[in-house]
Amino acid sequence: MRGMSAADFLTRALTLESSFVEALHGSVTHESPTGVVPEGNAFVTLLHDRLHADGWSVDRLPRDEIADVLRATLPGSDPDDGTLILAHSDTVWPLGTLEEMPWRVEDGVAYGPGVLDMKAGIEAARFAARLAREAGPLRGPTTLLVTSDEERGSVHSKELIEAEARRHARVLVVEMGRDDGALKVARKGVGVLHVAFQGVSAHAGNEPERGASALAEAARFLLAAEALADPERGTTVAVTVASGGTVGNVIPERARCEIDVRVLEDSEGARVVEALHRYAPHDPRVRVTVEGGMNRPPMEATPANRALADEAHAHLAAMGRSLEGAVVGGGSDGNFTSALGVATLDGLGAVGSGPHARHEQVRIVETLERIALLAALLRGPD
């Protein structure tokens, strides 16, 4: 297997289908929702044992509020040419979803909660490293960092992610590709804001004028917030969760909402967040409290990111394949590393469709092709 080319990696990867599917089955059937620590740690234990068996040096980093983090390392040729692979063990699916969305494979497609986002991405990284090492030493030291709170903003993992990124020459993010398989060369920055409305209750029939409706103010706020969107600049603002009121004959004194902000430019994030915090209520008797802001900076198509994408496209060409480079609205931990100036390429995990949706699925053969690309990137240019 020594001296394998990118085309050789592809040929070899396509022979791994049955073992990949078996490994993926084991991962998906270990549910690991964000913040559900016992089940999350059970999956971490499974992954720890698999990585150890593959020859990785594995550190398990205990956490309290979330499942443990894994940091696994492999040696490489050039100490200054290291690669950080970013993955996460948590999924968006509540515990017990497996009963409603059971694991299955039909016509070359695997289904199940978290199969695409991102159990298959973790297995892709593991199989790619194994494949790359069959051909000889890796281009540089390789670290696989598997965090456990990415789906909720990586609040407990951000500092560790950034510290690890600074020690490596590049970052490969094994989030899923776009539905058509495209790599992700840029992502929007993400903001999350929580808004509380405190009004005055009153009898809705006898003396409604004595009340100050928190729900009515929330409705006005919703319109003002979403008016801050700027489609031409790629800025979206969406009120995604809202509630208010208690019973049918009372003017509601409380309401709340959550706002999702996506931007391509840091300046746009600052503009939107500042405007939301400055909101003046239509009814001065209602108190409006805005908390939160931008959670992830945009992942921009920097020169370093473009150079890493060019290397990936060269490997793909050698395999007789081609993929687009896409700009997407969803954020990932690659947003953090790219903002540090470290070359980052995303969408290198599984290929499929329906992340966070009931039809979540992974196309197996295309994912094996992605494994070959990952292996080539870990080995470096021919």
Side-chain angles (χ1 to χ4, degrees), residues 190-249:
V190 182
V192 178
L193 296 96
H194 300 272
V195 189
F197 305 84
Q198 177 66 54
V200 180
S201 63
H203 194 291
N206 291 339
E207 45 186 11
E209 69 282 355
R210 291 182 176 272
S213 173
L215 193 56
E217 195 62 54
R220 296 186 181 97
F221 182 91
L222 183 155
L223 296 175
E226 297 198 344
L228 294 169
D230 188 342
E232 292 186 1
R233 304 190 74 169
T235 301
T236 62
V237 183
V239 178
T240 54
V241 178
S243 64
T246 51
V247 295
N249 62 350

Side-chain angles (χ1 to χ4, degrees), residues 172-178 181-185 187 299 323 332 345-351 370 373:
L172 307 179
V173 186
V174 288
E175 292 284 357
M176 75 295 297
R178 198 171 65 180
L183 301 175
K184 297 176 179 178
V185 297
R187 286 180 175 272
M299 175 183 161
L323 290 172
S332 81
L345 183 60
D346 205 334
L348 288 163
V351 181
R370 194 58 53 90
L373 173 59

Side-chain angles (χ1 to χ4, degrees), residues 67-138:
D68 295 345
V69 171
L70 286 183
R71 180 174 57 201
T73 57
L74 291 170
S77 298
D78 184 348
D80 297 322
D81 199 25
T83 302
L84 173 64
I85 305 173
L86 284 182
H88 63 87
S89 62
D90 60 318
T91 77
V92 300
W93 296 104
L95 197 62
T97 302
L98 196 62
E99 297 180 10
E100 308 163 19
M101 295 170 56
W103 160 266
R104 70 186 196 278
V105 179
E106 297 177 359
D107 300 323
V109 179
Y111 300 84
V115 65
L116 178 63
D117 189 12
M118 65 179 310
K119 298 297 178 68
I122 295 172
E123 292 304 330
R126 202 166 63 84
F127 274 72
R130 186 190 302 169
L131 188 58
R133 294 175 78 200
E134 289 180 358
L138 303 180

Side-chain angles (χ1 to χ4, degrees), residues 13 18 22 26 38-39 65 85 174 176 187 230 234 251 273 277 293 296 303 329:
S18 60
E22 181 182 0
E39 284 74 14
E65 302 90 343
I85 305 173
V174 288
M176 75 295 297
R187 286 180 175 272
D230 188 342
I251 299 296
V273 169
H277 278 274
R296 285 186 171 93

Side-chain angles (χ1 to χ4, degrees), residues 141-155:
T142 296
T143 300
L144 172 62
L145 185 66
V146 186
T147 60
S148 57
D149 62 343
E150 191 273 347
E151 295 293 2
R152 294 189 184 172
S154 302
V155 174

Side-chain angles (χ1 to χ4, degrees), residues 312-368:
H313 289 302
H315 289 308
L316 286 166
M319 297 177 193
R321 301 290 191 272
S322 65
L323 290 172
E324 290 185 13
V327 179
V328 297
S332 81
D333 289 336
N335 291 49
F336 299 134
T337 63
S338 178
L340 296 174
V342 182
T344 302
L345 183 60
D346 205 334
L348 288 163
V351 181
S353 62
H356 302 190
R358 291 282 173 182
H359 64 281
E360 183 174 3
Q361 59 189 262
V362 165
R363 301 194 294 275
I364 295 167
V365 170
E366 290 177 67
T367 301
L368 294 173

